Amino acid sequence: MANKALILLAVLLCAEAAFGVAVVSKAAWGGRAPRSKTTLANKLSYAVVHHTAGNYCSTRDACARELRSIQAYHMDSLQWPDIGYNFLIGGDGAVYEGRGWNVVGAHATNWNSKSLGISFLGNYNNNRATSAMINAAKGILADAVSRGQLVSGYILYGHRQVSATECPGTNLWNEIRTWSNWRA
Ligand SMILES: [Zn+2]
C-alpha cells in the first residue's frame, strides 16, 4: 500500500511539473479582488511586454509590497477594476498573478482585448532582467500557448511598438528582440 501511495504521489508531482511555471497567486501577494472582469478570448495572436517603470524588487516580500502599491494606484487613482497587467515578473524570478488568464487587461490602448500583457517589475532603462526573470517570462508565455490563451505562432511586441511610450525600457527592449516570437 505504501509503495502504491508513493507511486501515485510521484505521478501527481510529475503531472504538476508538466504544467510549467508556478504562479504566485494574487491572494499570496496580498492583492485585492477585482471590481469587475471582462472575458479575454482564447487563441490570441499577440502578447505585449511592459515594465512597471517603478521599483525593482528581488525578494518575495519586496515584490508583494510593490504589487500592492501598483494595484492600489491602478484601482484607486486610475479607477481601473484591477491591476492592469495579466501577469508580472519579479526580480526574485517569480511570476505573479495580475488579472490572470482569460481576463482583459488595461496595459496597451486598443490592444487589451487582443493580447496578453506581461510586465516586469522595475525600470528597465536602468535595471536589467536576470536570466531567472527571462526564463519566468518565457515560461508563462509557453504556458499561455499550452493552455490555448495564445496561438503557438503568436507575435510578441514591446509596448513601444503599439503605443508612443518608451516602455518596456531600453534594456528589456533589447532583450525581448532576441526572443523567437518577437516581430519588428
Ligand atoms: Zn507598457
Side-chain angles (χ1 to χ4, degrees):
M1 278 308 272
N3 277 346
K4 265 189 182 167
L6 276 175
I7 289 164
L8 181 62
L9 181 64
V11 167
L12 287 172
L13 287 171
C14 288
E16 186 69 26
F19 285 104
V21 300
V23 174
V24 180
S25 68
K26 191 186 273 177
W29 58 259
R32 289 148 58 179
R35 280 194 206 99
S36 63
K37 289 183 182 187
T38 302
T39 301
L40 181 64
N42 280 321
K43 300 291 177 192
L44 300 175
S45 298
Y46 303 96
V48 180
V49 172
H50 303 264
H51 69 161
T52 60
N55 296 320
Y56 183 83
C57 56
S58 53
T59 66
R60 177 68 57 89
D61 280 357
C63 290
R65 201 177 320 122
E66 185 64 14
L67 286 158
R68 292 193 297 269
S69 162
I70 293 166
Q71 188 187 35
Y73 175 65
H74 288 178
M75 292 181 76
D76 301 336
S77 299
L78 301 180
Q79 290 295 308
W80 294 350
D82 197 354
I83 191 168
Y85 313 105
N86 294 96
F87 294 95
L88 300 98
I89 310 296
D92 59 345
V95 178
Y96 290 90
E97 180 186 29
R99 296 198 187 192
W101 302 118
N102 293 110
V103 180
V104 174
H107 57 90
T109 306
N110 298 328
W111 289 78
N112 293 318
S113 59
K114 54 186 179 189
S115 68
L116 191 68
I118 312 269
S119 190
F120 284 61
L121 288 155
N123 186 321
Y124 293 83
N125 287 313
N126 310 309
N127 300 129
R128 287 181 185 276
T130 63
S131 55
M133 297 178 81
I134 292 163
N135 290 339
K138 288 181 175 176
I140 197 72
L141 286 164
D143 286 356
V145 171
S146 60
R147 65 186 297 126
Q149 178 80 86
L150 293 176
V151 296
S152 59
Y154 74 91
I155 293 171
L156 182 80
Y157 283 142
H159 190 187
R160 62 173 65 180
Q161 290 175 277
V162 299
S163 299
T165 172
E166 64 172 7
C167 181
T170 299
N171 294 335
L172 187 54
W173 166 241
N174 287 333
E175 168 58 35
I176 65 169
R177 289 194 299 168
T178 69
W179 297 5
S180 58
N181 287 75
W182 180 81
R183 293 292 177 276

